[in-house]
Every structure is written in C-alpha cells, then in structure tokens.
Amino acid sequence: MNWSTTTIAIYGLTALGAVAVYLLLPRAGRSARVAGTLLGLAALAGLVVLSLRSFAIPGSEDFYFYLLAVLALTSAAGVITQRKAVYSALYFVLTVVAVAGLVVLLEAEFLAAALIIIYGGAILVTYLFVIMLAQQEGQPLYDRRVRGGWWACVAGFLLTATVASALSDFLLLAPVVAPPMTVEVANTDRLGLVVMTRYMVVLQAAGILLLLALVGAVAIVRKRYPHLETVERPLPAIGQAGREAAPF
Amino acid sequence: MVDWLVIQFHTQLGFSIVLLLVVIPAVLTGVGYSTYFERKVSAWLQDRHGPNRAGPLGLLQPVADGVKFLLKEDFMPAGADRPLYILAPMLSMGIAMLGLAVIPWGGSYQPAGLAEPLQVQVAGLDIGLLYLLAVGALGVYGVVLAGWSSNNKYAFYGGLRAAAQMVSYEIPLGLSILVIVLASGQLRLENIVEQQTALWWGFLPQWNIFLHPVSFIIMFTCVLAETNRAPFDLAECEQELVGGFHTEYNAMKWAMFFLGEYTHMIVGSAFMVCLFFGGWHVPGLAAEQTTLWGVLLQLAVMGAKISIFIFVFMWIRWTLPRFRFDQLMRLCWKGLLPVSLALALVVVVELFFNVPRSYWSLIGEVGVVAVALVAVSLFRIPVTGRQWYLPDLDNRTPLRGGSV
C-alpha cells in the first residue's frame, strides 16, 4: 500500500479528532472539555489547511464550503457530546441546516429544501417532542454519561479515516470538474425526470416500505381491549354523531 | 457619487438591497400597527372603543407599547435554561422574517434604457415555494424551546402542544400547496403569480381561487394553525395554560414572540395571496405594469390583499371559540389530510388528461368535497367531536390500596 503524505495526514488528523471527541464525551466525573475543544479545533484547522493545500477547487463558493463544513462537523460533535438531550437535538438541527447549505452549493436546491422540511421541520421536532415528554424531571444517571465511548471513537476514527483517504486518492488521481450544464432544464425538473424514469422501481419500493412501516406502527400502538370489544352501542342518528352530550 | 448610486440601483443586487431596506421597516411597522388593528377589531366586534388615548384615534398606541416593552424590567425565571431562554424569541422572530425574501411584492420594474427588467423581489429563487415551506417548518422551534427552557409546567405544555400541532398541520398545508404546484407546473412564486394575470371572458382574472377553492380553504386553515392563531392557539390558551409558552417571558423578549407571530401572519397572507389571489395582479388590468407608477400600484394592491387577509385572521380570532386539543388533531388527521390527499390525486388525473387549470379543476374540487360529505354522513365518520364508536376506555391505573 502506498502511504502518501496526504493519507498519513488524513489518518493523523482524524485520530486527533477522535481523541478530541473522546475527551469531550460526557462522563460520570469531569470531562476534559477544554483540552477536547482545543484538540478538536486543531484537528478541524488541520483538515481545512490540508484540503486547501491538496484539493483546492477554484471557485467563489470555497469560503462558504469551509464555513458550512466546519459548522456541520462541530455541530455533529455537539450532538454526541452534550449532556442535555434537548441540546443534542438542537445541534442535530444545526447539522441538518449546514448540510443543506452544502447541498445548495452543489446546486441541488430541491434536495436542500427537502432536507430542511423533512429533517429540520418534521423529524427533529418529533425527536424534540419525545425528548421533552420523556425528560421533564432532570435526567437519570444513565442518560448523563457515555457507555462504550472508547470503542465508538475508535470505530468512528477507522470509518472516517478510511473513507476520507480513499476519497482523497480518488481526488488526487482525477481532479473533479463539475459537469457542464448542457441542457437548460431546471434542477427540480431534472430530479423529477431521473426519479420517475431511472429510479422508478426504487421509488415504488421505498413507497411500499414506508406504507408497511406506517401499518406496522399503527399495529404496534393499537391497544386491544378484549373484554370491552363486545360492548354494543346503538348507532347515533345521522347528523347526531358526537352530539350525545349536550353542551349546556 | 449620485450617478454611481443610480447605476447600482439599476442592477438586480442593488435593487434587492434597496427593496430589503424598504420591506423590513415596512413589515415591522405593519406588524406594530397590526397589534393596534387587532385591538381595534376586537373592540369593534365586542362593541367597545378600543385604544383611543395615545394620539388621535389611539394611533400612537404601538409607539407607546414599544417604549413600554423596552423600558420594562427584564428578568429571567430561576431554573430557566439560560441560553435557550434567550435564543427562543430570537428564533421566533428571525425565522419568521426569513420568509420575506422570496415574496414577489410587485411584479417587475422596467426603468427606461435598461435591457432586463428588475424583479420587485428580494431573491427570485428557483424553489421559492419550497423555501417558504422550509422556513415555515423551522418556525416551530422558537415556541417549543421557549416552552422547554422556561422551567414552567404551563409553558412546557404550551410548547408540547405547539410541536404536535405544527407537525400535524404541515402535512395538509404541503398537500394543498402541491395542488397549485402541480396545476401550474411551477415552483417559482413569481411565475405562479404571472400565470394568474390572464383574464377569462375579458373580465374575470384567472386567479387560482376560482379553480381550487377547496385547496384554498384547507391552506387557510393550516396557515391559521401554523401561525398559532385562534381557533388554533392552544399553545397559549389563557384559560388552561396561563400564557402557554410565553408565560415566563416579559418585556422585549415577550414582544419578540408577537413580532414573530404577526410577521408570520404577514408572510403567510402574502403566500396565500400569491398562490390563490394573483399576488400583485390588479383585477381591472390585464397585463403586468412595468412603469414606476404601475409597480407602485401593484405594490399597493398586494398590500391591500394582505391587509384583507390579516383582517380575516382577526375576525376569526374574535369570533370563533378555541378547539379542544383532540378536536384539533382529529380535524387535521381525519378531516384535512384525506381531503387534501384526494385533491392532489384529482389534480394528477387532470394532468394526465392534460386539462390542468380548466373548469375540470373546479369540478374535481367540488366533487371531492361532495364525496367527502356523503361519506361522512353515510358512514358517520367522526371528523370532529367525540369518538362515539369506541367503547368507554378506562385507562386509569388504580393507586395502591384504592380502586378505580
């Protein structure tokens, strides 16, 4: 295997980031938050310098790319290093917004809007709802500390480092050039065309999967009351449904 | 210097910046006077005078209120989550104002000697409509976080209710907008408006309200719910929750929630005006006016249409009683959601037969409502009210030593 300096740098910086995240994880005792923050900032700065030196892609959006990428990474670290679950959910929202910004830089506005509407607007509000419902009175001990943090950091380091170095080899071999816009079709139209022609089967399969999940969720939450199901009640007259209790 | 400024004004960026500097103060003033208007409308509906002490007709009341908000003592409840407690009103107001960026306020302006007309819009996005939806979807965080961070049970319940309500009403809102998107084939708000400027039989403007009245009613209901307005203001209902999510807020932080709510109302009204009432289109005039006076007229017409909507919001608030929470949920999931799904399906069928935006749209919409009414009355589907068909469920858990 050919260990180029770039690969070594990527491995080193990712390891630094992993150590930083490990130090930041909430523990029973005191977490080394200052040291973790400093190490994490150093790792981020190193990654930014490395990508500026090695894969500088000319373009005016470079600054925004680095801004949004750093925001996404720091808020993703915030998701797992916060003690309060509500803060974790909020950092998750920030991650989603930053990633949506990155997607906008790739000129995929529809995807960005969908990301914010679905993740930021619906799923994370539901998370927040559940977290708030479950944790009204402080937090139990087992929610305030991390378990298996060491292994999680090692696994995360390995995954990130291998994927990043593989991508960097690919980028070094052939600098990515954005394909020129040949057809004057709006972004959303193109997405629709691709989804409804090339990925039609996948789309249908995803739809069926979601429907099954919905039915499953209803089946799980539905309570059965066998001793009550035999109750016979007279049907109310047409137009009188729900009016059996007089308001006054 | 003046020449340079004039040249910059005649580029889209410069024009957008000037427009932004005009729109934000105008909307904030409008928000201030909406609070005055709200109190006047409630007074008229209740046979009172309303504010009439500060200035002629009480017109300086918003100024007096603003001064009061700024000068009040700003305290924080003990045990509040400090960062989120401060962040919540900022989110509430900031996110509501983001929506102003994509509203087409007055068509396009063509100064003499310029090749391209200037859009009277801060940012003409390809996905303007989705942007508005996304911004609206993020709007709930202010209320939810206010409820959570105040360390108050009533505020907390207000936040929970707001979260459940907004997530639910987002779905029929999106579906009723989808009807217009499919029928017009556009995601740019300005194109949707332009499509509505033609006339039928030489006098009737081709506004979407005439084609999709039911979608409009659903969207209007959902916008009421999204802006937390009565009869959907369960997050802040005084009788049950003191003040709901803003129980623990005072001074300017409290005011920011209401600036946010009224801004949200203005953006929501502008959104509905653009989708269903032809945006800046002046009913008497067939084509778009691009002269200075024409654009000013269109801006005035847009403002008038938005004002009418805001008046209707207030009229509803002071007329209808509030929903109960289970009625609110049932109305959304069993009433609005199936109907709006059916409407989207009908539009797809119209597209298949290549007759969108024709009298078939109206027939389809009315047909869906007729079928829904027949189904509700024949099968006795409870859309609101009690679930009478369920047996009496006794979910109470007996306490130790007691009995249910």
Side-chain angles (χ1 to χ4, degrees), chain A residues 84 86-87 90 93 97 109-110 113 116-117 120-122 124-126 128-129 132-133 136-137 188 223 225 228 231 233 235-236 238 241-242 244-245, chain B residues 81 83-84 126-127 130-131 133-134 137-138 140-141 144-145 148 153 156-157 159-160 163-164 167 170 187 377 380 386 388 390-395:
Chain A
K84 290 181 180 166
V86 170
Y87 277 80
L90 288 177
V93 178
V97 172
E109 305 100 347
F110 181 84
I116 290 186
I117 293 173
L124 280 161
V125 173
T126 318
L128 212 56
F129 184 76
M132 283 164 62
L133 261 187
Q136 293 179 45
E137 302 293 331
T188 314
K223 288 182 185 167
Y225 298 93
L228 287 171
V231 173
R233 297 179 111 207
L235 285 176
I238 286 179
E244 70 274 19
Chain B
D81 191 301
L84 293 188
D126 269 340
I127 49 150
L130 287 174
Y131 171 86
L133 266 184
L138 290 179
V140 62
Y141 284 107
V144 174
L145 291 181
W148 185 79
K153 285 243 174 8
F156 180 77
Y157 278 115
L160 277 189
V167 167
E170 201 110 291
L187 280 173
S377 54
R380 297 169 199 180
R386 279 160 202 259
W388 52 268
L390 282 180
D392 288 322
L393 301 182
D394 200 341
N395 282 327

Side-chain angles (χ1 to χ4, degrees), chain A residues 13 16-17 39-50 69-71 73-74:
Chain A
L13 289 170
L16 197 64
L39 276 183
L41 287 179
L44 275 177
L47 281 174
V48 169
V49 170
L50 177 73
V70 168
L71 187 65
L73 282 176
T74 38

Side-chain angles (χ1 to χ4, degrees), chain A residues 17-18 20-26 33 36-37 39-41 43-44 69-84 87-92 94-95 153:
Chain A
V21 169
Y22 181 72
L23 290 177
L24 281 169
L25 285 178
R33 297 192 80 84
T37 313
L39 276 183
L41 287 179
L44 275 177
V70 168
L71 187 65
L73 282 176
T74 38
S75 50
V79 174
I80 53 170
T81 54
Q82 284 297 319
R83 250 173 228 281
K84 290 181 180 166
Y87 277 80
S88 295
L90 288 177
Y91 272 111
F92 200 163
L94 198 55
T95 315
C153 283

Side-chain angles (χ1 to χ4, degrees), chain B residues 164-241:
Chain B
Q165 175 182 328
M166 294 207 183
V167 167
S168 308
Y169 277 85
E170 201 110 291
I171 303 167
L173 177 70
L175 282 170
S176 56
I177 292 169
L178 187 68
V179 167
I180 299 300
V181 171
L182 286 174
S184 62
Q186 299 285 347
L187 280 173
R188 287 184 88 103
L189 275 170
E190 58 269 36
N191 293 356
I192 293 177
V193 170
E194 253 173 50
Q195 224 172 26
Q196 300 177 54
T197 55
L199 296 177
W200 282 306
W201 312 303
F203 70 97
L204 191 63
Q206 293 193 354
W207 293 352
N208 281 325
I209 176 74
F210 301 122
L211 296 168
H212 302 280
V214 184
S215 299
F216 167 69
I217 292 169
I218 292 177
M219 179 170 174
F220 185 75
T221 314
C222 295
V223 168
L224 275 183
E226 290 279 312
T227 49
N228 252 327
R229 293 288 297 185
F232 299 100
D233 58 344
L234 277 108
E236 46 180 313
C237 59
E238 295 87 355
Q239 289 88 340
E240 298 162 30
L241 299 180

Side-chain angles (χ1 to χ4, degrees), chain A residues 107-148:
Chain A
E107 298 185 0
E109 305 100 347
F110 181 84
L111 198 60
L115 207 64
I116 290 186
I117 293 173
I118 295 169
Y119 273 91
I123 294 181
L124 280 161
V125 173
T126 318
Y127 276 16
L128 212 56
F129 184 76
V130 172
I131 291 169
M132 283 164 62
L133 261 187
Q135 297 189 327
Q136 293 179 45
E137 302 293 331
Q139 290 164 299
L141 184 67
Y142 50 82
D143 268 355
R144 275 182 288 159
R145 58 202 279 191
V146 67
R147 281 154 296 163

Side-chain angles (χ1 to χ4, degrees), chain A residues 171-182:
Chain A
L171 280 177
L172 286 177
L173 284 177
V176 175
V177 180
M181 302 250 179
T182 47

